[in-house]
Amino acid sequence: MSSIMTNSSALTALQSLNNTNKQLETTQSRISTGYRVATASDNAAYWSIATSMKSDNKALSAVQDSLGLGAGKVDTAYTAINDVKDQVDLIKSKLVTARGASQEDQQKIATEINAIQAQIKSSVTNANFAGSNLLQNDGLAASDLKIVASYNRTGATVTIDTIDVKAADTQVLDVAGTGGIVGGLLATAFFDPSSAAVADTAIDTALGSVETALGKLSTGAASLGAAKSRIDTQKSFLSNLSDSIDKGVGSLVDADMNKESTRLQALQVQQQLGIQALSIANGNSQSILSLFRG
């Protein structure tokens, strides 16, 4: 039915065009932002999940930074403690050589041992990373190294796991140079070559002290090595976990650009056809009115 009061065709065409324009606006927004769920109004459930997971991923990134810093400290200490162990091994060899040697040879060996003692002290002092030295007690109460290794969230409950290195296992020397695992080895001479009568007895005692120190150094190196291995494993795991979270979040909120591009072209054609349809509907209305003017 034709009516001069209501142009039904034009209203239908306008509604269709408005709907197309709305879809076109949504598609253009997805293409420009890269998201199909950019705000809570797009999909409240997906947006909420994605927001929480993105927040967790930022926390994981901070954990990875902590592991990187911890790795530097542990690697430095591990290298140094192995060097100290090698130096103590060398002292052991020198002492065995000095056992029963002539007074002149013992004097030379004592001089060599003094140089090794100085090298041990230097290795410990230089085992510093970011202001932290795991091998040297700074005179304060020794505290274990605790490296943040994971961030775990269950609902609103959060727990933090750490990789621990016991100070008691790694305190090779104190600032005074007399305490720690090797402090006793550096404090005094192992034997006095001028006292040939008692030199061999002193050497036997020194060898016992050296063996004790080597055992503790091996324990410290093992502790640091275990921490180093765990840090490397955790860093790799967190990197993969972070990638998986990114992929999961992307599947929830990212726009399919191929699909949206194709849809954009179709909607642009549909928009042009809608404009033409509205123009035709309005044209028909004008034709009816012209009959009355004539």
Side-chain angles (χ1 to χ4, degrees), residues 142-160:
S143 58
D144 298 344
L145 174 66
K146 294 182 178 295
I147 304 168
V148 175
S150 68
Y151 174 88
N152 312 302
R153 179 179 63 83
T154 303
T157 303
V158 174
T159 58
I160 301 293

Side-chain angles (χ1 to χ4, degrees), residues 57 59-69 235 238-240 242:
N57 229 7
L60 290 181
S61 178
V63 172
Q64 288 177 296
D65 291 341
S66 173
L67 284 171
L69 180 60
K235 285 170 65 178
L238 289 181
S239 178
N240 293 333
S242 181

Side-chain angles (χ1 to χ4, degrees), residues 13-42:
L14 182 59
Q15 290 174 356
S16 178
L17 181 59
N18 286 338
N19 184 53
T20 299
N21 287 339
K22 185 177 181 180
Q23 294 181 61
L24 186 59
E25 181 181 350
T26 298
T27 300
Q28 288 174 329
S29 175
R30 290 178 178 178
I31 291 175
S32 63
T33 64
Y35 293 110
R36 69 184 179 91
V37 181
T39 64
S41 61
D42 295 327

Side-chain angles (χ1 to χ4, degrees), residues 8 22 28 47 52 60 71 81 83 85 104 118 140 147-148 163 165-166 178 184 199 201 268 270 281 285 287 289:
S8 300
K22 185 177 181 180
Q28 288 174 329
W47 180 85
S52 296
L60 290 181
I81 200 171
D83 180 74
K85 183 178 178 299
E104 182 180 357
L140 303 176
I147 304 168
V148 175
I163 296 174
V165 178
K166 293 183 179 179
T178 57
T201 300
Q268 286 174 335
Q270 190 173 341
S285 178
S287 296
L289 290 175

